[in-house]
Amino acid sequence: MTMVFPRINALVSGTMAAMLVSSPALAREMPAKPVGHVSFETHSADVGVGYTWGEGKLTYGHHTYRFKIKGGNAVSLGYSSLKAEGEVYNLKHLRDFDGAYGAVTAEATMSKGVGASLLKNSNGVRLKLKSKATGARLAAGLQGVSFEIEN
């Protein structure tokens, strides 16, 4: 029985990733060339409304910047840790990286899972991410995270 949950999780995550990445509207919005790279780790603890926190690194313009992550999910239950990395698009000024990023999400993590997502902030910065999650968590709905470069 323990083998069923990771397969279901991989199927759900893979299906969500395919829908996000293959969406024609999202594909038209993505520039052809990334301008940076991002990697981060988050933790989420949830009972009804979820809370997410973490930290990461942005590589942009031959420099590496550390940033903090805070956020939440509208409907969720459980605990999970997530490691993500990916490309940064439409970042013209470092200050544009800071801000709230939103996404519609669905997560069903039982032990381990993989996923992909596209995040966008109000400054037009887009992140195309691949992720690996561990823990036991169910979440759906709007998720918002805020990234802030540390000085």
Side-chain angles (χ1 to χ4, degrees), residues 22-150:
S22 65
S23 168
L26 289 174
R28 284 192 300 271
E29 290 183 18
M30 294 301 291
K33 186 177 177 184
V35 296
H37 183 267
V38 68
S39 63
F40 58 87
E41 184 171 349
T42 63
H43 306 280
S44 296
D46 319 286
V47 178
V49 175
Y51 181 70
T52 300
W53 69 97
E55 56 188 32
K57 293 180 184 177
L58 165 68
T59 303
Y60 173 68
H62 305 290
H63 297 291
T64 300
Y65 304 91
R66 294 185 176 276
F67 62 93
K68 292 284 186 186
I69 303 167
K70 295 179 187 173
N73 196 304
V75 181
S76 50
L77 177 66
Y79 176 84
S80 68
S81 293
L82 178 117
K83 290 184 180 183
E85 67 174 292
E87 292 94 21
V88 178
Y89 298 86
N90 288 348
L91 181 59
K92 296 177 179 111
H93 306 282
L94 182 61
R95 67 182 176 270
D96 292 339
F97 182 78
D98 287 351
Y101 290 78
V104 176
T105 65
E107 179 185 341
T109 300
M110 180 56 87
S111 183
K112 295 182 180 181
V114 296
S117 57
L118 295 171
L119 301 178
K120 178 183 173 183
N121 75 7
S122 62
N123 297 321
V125 177
R126 289 177 174 75
L127 308 177
K128 183 178 177 182
L129 304 169
K130 292 181 182 178
S131 60
K132 294 181 181 181
T134 59
R137 181 173 186 246
L138 292 173
L142 295 174
Q143 179 174 15
V145 291
S146 177
F147 293 171
E148 184 178 346
I149 299 285
E150 296 179 321

Side-chain angles (χ1 to χ4, degrees), residues 9-26:
N9 186 32
L11 177 63
V12 170
S13 297
T15 302
M16 292 296 295
M19 289 189 312
L20 287 170
V21 174
S22 65
S23 168
L26 289 174

